[in-house]
C-alpha cells in the first residue's frame, strides 16, 4: 500500500473520530441544557408553592442556614458558583494561556474546553497560517515539538497538519486522538462557552490580517475577540478592518513609548511580561488596558490583582 494511501486513510480516520466527538458533545450539551431547564422549572414551581409555608413554619423557629437544606441543599452551592463567576469576570480577569495547558496539551481542543469549563474570562490561542491559507493553533513555527510529525507550518497544508497527532504536553496520554485545531474550531469553543477568544498572532504577514478579520466577522465574534501581536503594523491593519476587535501590543516590558503608541488606537491595550507600578498608573490615565503574562504562582497573581491589572494570563487556573 502506497504512502499516499496510508496518509489518506489516516486523514479519513481522524475526520471520522472528530465527527463522532462533535456528535457526542452535541448530545451531552443538549442533555445538560435539558436537565438544567428541568431543575430550574422544578425549583421555580417548588418555591412558588411553599414560600409562604416556609415563612410561617420554618423562619420563626430556626435560622436561614437550617432552612436551606429543606430547599434541596443547592442554594448555597448555586450562590457560591455565581459569586465565583462574578469575581472571575470583574477586577483582574483571567486568561487561560494556550487553554488549560497545565491539565491538557497546549493549544488543543481539550485544553480549550477545560479552560471554558473553568470559567476563565478568556482563552488564549497561538495562530499560524498554513501554506494553503488556513489558520491553525500552535505556538511553535514547526509541528515538531507537539506532534508525531515534522515540518514548518507555513510550508505545510492544512490536511498535512491535521493528519498528525498531538503526542506531547500535559497529560497527553489521556487525549490520544488530539489534533492541531483550526482557528475556527477554537473560536467555536469560545462562542459556545461564552469565553472571550484571545488570538496571539504568530504569523508575520500584514496582508493575512484581512483574511483573519473576515473569518472572525463571518462567525459574528468581533466583540468577543482580542488580538495580540508584536507588530504595530498588524494591529493597525486590524483596526482598519474592524473598529470592534480589541487589540493589544505584545511586548516584554510596558513602557511609556508602547503605551503612547497604543493610545493612538481605539479599543487597545498592551500585553507585557513586565510593567512597573508607575507605568500601570500611566496606562490607566491614558485609558489603555493592561494584560500581564504568564504568571502561575498564587502570590504573583495576588500582587498583580492588588495593582488592579486588567488581565492576567496563566497556565494554571486552579490558583
Amino acid at each position: 500500500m502506497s504512502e499516499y494511501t496510508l496518509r489518506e486513510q489516516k486523514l479519513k480516520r481522524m475526520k471520522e473520530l472528530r465527527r463522532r466527538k462533535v456528535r457526542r458533545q452535541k448530545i451531552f450539551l443538549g442533555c445538560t441544557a435539558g436537565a438544567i431547564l428541568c431543575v430550574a422549572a422544578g425549583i421555580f414551581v417548588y418555591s412558588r408553592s411553599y414560600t409562604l409555608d416556609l415563612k410561617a413554619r420554618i423562619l420563626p423557629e430556626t435560622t436561614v442556614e437550617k432552612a436551606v437544606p429543606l430547599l434541596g441543599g443547592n442554594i448555597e452551592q448555586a450562590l457560591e458558583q455565581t459569586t465565583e463567576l462574578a469575581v472571575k469576570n470583574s477586577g483582574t480577569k483571567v486568561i487561560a494561556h494556550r487553554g488549560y495547558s497545565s491539565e491538557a496539551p497546549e493549544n488543543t481542543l481539550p485544553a480549550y474546553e477545560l479552560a471554558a469549563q473553568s470559567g476563565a474570562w478568556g482563552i488564549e490561542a497561538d495562530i499560524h497560517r498554513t501554506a494553503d491559507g488556513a489558520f491553525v493553533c500552535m505556538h511553535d513555527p514547526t509541528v515538531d515539538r507537539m506532534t508525531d510529525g515534522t515540518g514548518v507550518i507555513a510550508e505545510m497544508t492544512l490536511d498535512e497538519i491535521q493528519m498528525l497527532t498531538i503526542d506531547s504536553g500535559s497529560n497527553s496520554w489521556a487525549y490520544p486522538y488530539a489534533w492541531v485545531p483550526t482557528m475556527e474550531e477554537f473560536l467555536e469553543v469560545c462562542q459556545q462557552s461564552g469565553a472571550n477568544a484571545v488570538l496571539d498572532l504568530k504569523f508575520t504577514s500584514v496582508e493575512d490580517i484581512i483574511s483573519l478579520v473576515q473569518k472572525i466577522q463571518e462567525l459574528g465574534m468581533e466583540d468577543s475577540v482580542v488580538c495580540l501581536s508584536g507588530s504595530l503594523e498588524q494591529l493597525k491593519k486590524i483596526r482598519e478592518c474592524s473598529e470592534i476587535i480589541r487589540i493589544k501590543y505584545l511586548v516584554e516590558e510596558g513602557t511609556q513609548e508602547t503605551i503612547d503608541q497604543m493610545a493612538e488606537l481605539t479599543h487597545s491595550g498592551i500585553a507585557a511580561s513586565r510593567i512597573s507600578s508607575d507605568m500601570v498608573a500611566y496606562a490607566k490615565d491614558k485609558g489603555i488596558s493592561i494584560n500581564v503574562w504568564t504568571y502561575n504562582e498564587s502570590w504573583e497573581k495576588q500582587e498583580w490583582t492588588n495593582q488592579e491589572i486588567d488581565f492576567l494570563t496563566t497556565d494554571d487556573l486552579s490558583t
Side-chain angles (χ1 to χ4, degrees):
M1 187 177 292
S2 68
E3 181 180 353
Y4 176 78
T5 302
L6 289 173
R7 290 167 70 86
E8 285 295 309
Q9 288 181 349
K10 183 175 180 181
L11 179 59
K12 289 179 180 178
R13 178 174 63 85
M14 291 293 291
K15 289 183 176 179
E16 178 60 27
L17 288 170
R18 189 185 316 174
R19 282 194 292 270
R20 291 178 185 176
K21 181 176 180 180
V22 170
R23 284 197 296 269
R24 288 197 299 270
Q25 288 176 336
K26 287 182 178 178
I27 293 171
F28 174 76
L29 290 173
C31 293
T32 301
I36 291 172
L37 287 174
C38 290
V39 171
I43 292 174
F44 176 75
V45 172
Y46 186 88
S47 63
R48 292 275 294 181
S49 302
Y50 292 97
T51 297
L52 293 176
D53 186 54
L54 284 171
K55 286 182 179 179
R57 294 190 297 105
I58 299 174
L59 295 182
E61 299 174 5
T62 186
T63 63
V64 174
E65 288 78 6
K66 291 181 180 179
V68 167
L70 296 177
L71 295 176
N74 293 323
I75 291 181
E76 288 183 347
Q77 181 180 356
L79 287 173
E80 182 178 352
Q81 291 174 345
T82 302
T83 301
E84 289 178 357
L85 186 60
V87 169
K88 285 180 179 178
N89 286 279
S90 64
T92 299
K93 301 172 183 65
V94 174
I95 296 173
H97 187 225
R98 307 178 195 175
Y100 204 151
S101 54
S102 63
E103 291 297 320
E106 65 183 56
N107 282 312
T108 61
L109 293 183
Y112 300 145
E113 289 162 356
L114 287 174
Q117 292 166 15
S118 77
W121 178 89
I123 307 172
E124 186 249 13
D126 300 291
I127 307 298
H128 282 276
R129 199 168 200 199
T130 66
D132 54 346
F135 293 102
V136 294
C137 303
M138 184 163 284
H139 177 270
D140 300 353
T142 72
V143 298
D144 299 24
R145 178 173 65 91
M146 292 300 297
T147 77
D148 58 356
T150 60
V152 178
I153 294 174
E155 298 173 358
M156 301 172 71
T157 66
L158 177 61
D159 283 350
E160 288 174 334
I161 291 172
Q162 291 210 308
M163 285 175 62
L164 305 176
T165 300
I166 299 291
D167 64 356
S168 183
S170 301
N171 300 320
S172 59
W173 57 268
Y175 307 98
Y177 300 114
W179 63 88
V180 180
T182 63
M183 181 183 72
E184 290 88 341
E185 288 174 321
F186 164 64
L187 291 176
E188 285 172 6
V189 171
C190 295
Q191 191 172 50
Q192 292 172 7
S193 65
N196 291 274
V198 181
L199 307 179
D200 187 346
L201 308 184
K202 296 300 185 183
F203 58 90
T204 58
S205 168
V206 174
E207 291 308 312
D208 285 344
I209 291 295
I210 298 173
S211 178
L212 178 94
V213 172
Q214 286 175 344
K215 292 183 181 298
I216 294 170
Q217 291 171 334
E218 287 169 4
L219 288 172
M221 293 188 65
E222 283 182 280
D223 59 352
S224 57
V225 168
V226 181
C227 285
L228 310 180
S229 177
S231 165
L232 272 176
E233 294 306 310
Q234 283 189 331
L235 297 175
K236 290 176 181 178
K237 191 66 175 181
I238 292 171
R239 186 52 69 241
E240 288 179 14
C241 298
S242 170
E243 296 181 356
I244 302 173
I245 295 174
R246 285 162 288 181
I247 53 176
K248 286 184 172 41
Y249 194 10
L250 190 60
V251 296
E252 284 292 329
E253 183 172 5
T255 64
Q256 182 172 337
E257 180 183 8
T258 57
I259 292 169
D260 287 341
Q261 287 169 328
M262 295 313 293
E264 297 177 0
L265 302 171
T266 57
H267 300 297
S268 66
I270 58 171
S273 179
R274 306 181 303 276
I275 185 169
S276 68
S277 56
D278 289 342
M279 287 298 102
V280 170
Y282 184 74
K284 289 182 180 297
D285 288 341
K286 289 282 188 176
I288 299 301
S289 66
I290 306 165
N291 179 182
V292 294
W293 52 272
T294 302
Y295 292 90
N296 298 319
E297 299 296 332
S298 57
W299 65 268
E300 293 176 317
K301 295 179 181 180
Q302 188 58 54
E303 284 191 358
W304 287 119
T305 300
N306 292 342
Q307 290 195 51
E308 299 181 346
I309 295 296
D310 300 291
F311 304 96
L312 187 147
T313 301
T314 183
D315 298 306
D316 189 354
L317 300 170
S318 65
T319 58

